[in-house]
DNA sequence: TGTTGGATCTCGAGC
DNA sequence: GCTCGAGGTCCAACA
């Protein structure tokens, strides 16, 4: 890992063309040759960068980073304030705690929070084009397919629609209604779901996990 | 901008929970208090980070970064190898040559490249679920909706299909045909589009820009 | 190896 | 302020 602080200007040409005017920035050169150009602000995304695998050719006041795809990053160094290198060694990497699949497990264990007398048929019910998250029966024994997302977008409604189309061709299952369940449902997705006769269900993670009598409401 | 190289371990809890085992890493502290934790590899994305606005409370061997939303990043410093600060000043920022919007502008100015006598109705024609990129009329005055992408994927065809469904319910517009236009269209997207009676149009950026629209230019 | 869907997405435009 | 679409998206799981 090499860290350079320098007044520089940058030109990138590849998937798009972009330039950076002269300013003082932090240049990070990683062991794999990749280069990151950070300013003192913004978020974690660099102003400009070159991803590995790539090659850094270094002249006196000019760095040129290229890759196989023909992308090119040229950095002109006008003044170098600092140039440090340090061996970091390998990194054990980030360990993260999954939250996504939990919603499915929790709702599968508590189908009655959707309606009294509702029961689980199975999780990951297989169809020809993929598995439906949950298949349940309502209090009158009719099938209901549930698609679960963390954030309910329009794509999820499309997905559930395709499942419902298929499942309703199966006389063993038909008629099958649909419920689109998510922690948050985008307005457009709700419009589309409603238009297609699909109910929307807002899931509260903490409520599902902690309290059995907390019942989300259909609308 | 402050750059610290240190052997550290990290714990994040917020939108998810995650930990980083002990290793030597680069810690970047920006002027707005945001913190980035980089290893010597991966991509431009840090192993862990905290986005602004946030507050860094610094103890002897322990940094604690928090924000209003209750997210928390705790960094335990086991050994500090380097600790440098440098004032970078403001950055003029990245100037990019837009490609996506350009295609829309170029095609909007030259509807006749699709067919003789075709005219623009409007860009960003609003529907209940979002704006369709271009609405034009063919040489016989019939409406045509055009969805423009840089890379034509199956999602784009789905999107255009939804627009067409909606627009064809509007007696003021119906019948509306669809054209899926992109610099590059994936085979699957082309199959789906064709199956739905949607025409595909490959856009050549340089050609579009270079085509003389038959009118004198202002510049 | 291509495809697909998620992301602590980020970023910018439009309302 | 929010919402929505795009990204040099990146990334990993999966077919």
């Amino acid at each position: 890992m090499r860290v350079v602080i320098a007044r520089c200007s940058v030109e990138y040409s590849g998937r798009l063309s972009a330039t950076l005017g002269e300013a003082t920035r932090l240049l990070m050169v990683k062991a794999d040759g990749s280069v990151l150009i950070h300013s003192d602000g913004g978020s974690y995304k660099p102003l400009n960068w070159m991803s590995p695998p790539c090659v850094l050719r270094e002249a006196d006041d000019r760095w040129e980073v290229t890759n196989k795809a023909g992308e090119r990053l040229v950095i002109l160094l006008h003044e170098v304030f600092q140039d440090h290198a340090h061996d970091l060694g390998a990194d054990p990497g980030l360990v993260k705690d999954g939250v996504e699949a939990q919603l499915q497990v929790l709702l599968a264990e508590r189908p009655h929070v959707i309606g009294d007398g509702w029961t689980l048929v199975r999780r990951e019910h297989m169809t020809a084009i993929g598995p439906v998250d949950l298949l349940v029966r309502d209090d009158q024994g009719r099938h209901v397919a549930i698609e679960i997302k963390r954030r309910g977008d329009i794509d999820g409604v499309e997905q559930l629609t395709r499942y419902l189309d298929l499942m309703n061709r199966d006389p063993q299952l038909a008629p099958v209604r649909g419920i689109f369940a998510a922690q948050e449902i985008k307005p457009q997705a709700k419009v589309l779901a409603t238009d297609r006769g699909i109910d929307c269900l807002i899931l509260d993670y903490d409520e599902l996990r902690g309290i059995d009598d907390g019942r989300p409401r259909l609308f």
Side-chain angles (χ1 to χ4, degrees), chain A:
Chain A
M1 170 81 77
R2 179 176 170 195
V3 179
V4 175
I5 291 180
R7 192 159 47 80
C8 62
S9 49
V10 184
E11 211 163 305
Y12 165 79
S13 108
R15 291 176 239 191
L16 58 72
S17 296
T19 54
L20 280 170
E22 192 173 323
T24 302
R25 306 188 174 92
L26 180 145
L27 312 175
M28 200 187 305
V29 183
K30 297 195 174 186
D32 52 18
S34 60
V35 178
L36 281 61
I37 302 165
H38 270 278
S39 65
D40 200 349
S43 66
Y44 67 68
K45 194 176 175 181
L47 289 168
N48 220 326
W49 72 92
M50 187 69 100
S51 304
C54 60
V55 180
L56 167 61
R57 280 195 320 125
E58 195 176 338
D60 193 30
D61 57 351
R62 176 196 168 89
W63 291 3
E64 190 172 337
V65 195
T66 52
N67 68 9
K68 282 283 170 63
E71 295 175 84
R72 230 168 81 101
L73 185 73
V74 178
I75 304 174
L76 298 180
L77 300 171
H78 306 295
E79 189 178 359
V80 176
F81 299 104
Q82 203 187 108
D83 189 341
H84 263 293
H86 203 286
D87 182 22
L88 299 188
D91 199 288
L94 189 72
V95 180
K96 57 172 86 173
D97 193 15
V99 175
E100 179 68 23
Q102 287 284 1
L103 288 172
Q104 195 191 104
V105 174
L106 290 169
L107 197 57
E109 288 171 348
R110 299 157 175 77
H112 58 274
V113 304
I114 313 172
D116 286 330
W118 289 44
T119 56
L120 176 72
V121 176
R122 74 179 60 85
R123 291 172 52 194
E124 304 285 349
H125 172 82
M126 213 48 209
T127 75
I129 54 168
V132 170
D133 289 334
L134 293 184
L135 182 62
V136 302
R137 282 176 188 274
D138 66 15
D139 55 345
Q140 299 184 31
R142 293 170 301 198
H143 284 111
V144 182
I146 307 180
E147 181 64 32
I148 302 172
K149 297 285 179 192
R150 196 171 64 81
R151 278 163 43 197
D153 219 330
I154 212 159
D155 290 349
V157 180
E158 293 286 13
Q159 193 182 344
L160 179 53
T161 303
R162 290 193 291 269
Y163 291 142
L164 289 169
D165 284 349
L166 275 174
M167 296 171 82
N168 273 309
R169 292 183 204 168
D170 182 349
Q172 300 288 320
L173 293 174
V176 186
R177 283 193 296 132
I179 292 181
F180 189 54
Q183 287 186 296
E184 175 202 346
I185 295 179
K186 298 260 173 92
Q188 290 191 342
K190 192 177 171 218
V191 168
L192 185 63
T194 305
D195 183 63
R196 294 187 176 169
I198 293 171
D199 288 322
C200 289
L201 175 65
I202 300 294
L203 300 175
D204 186 303
Y205 182 83
D206 295 325
E207 221 173 70
L208 268 178
R209 188 175 44 186
I211 310 161
D212 271 17
D213 59 4
R215 180 191 295 187
R217 291 191 302 167
L218 284 174
F219 56 87

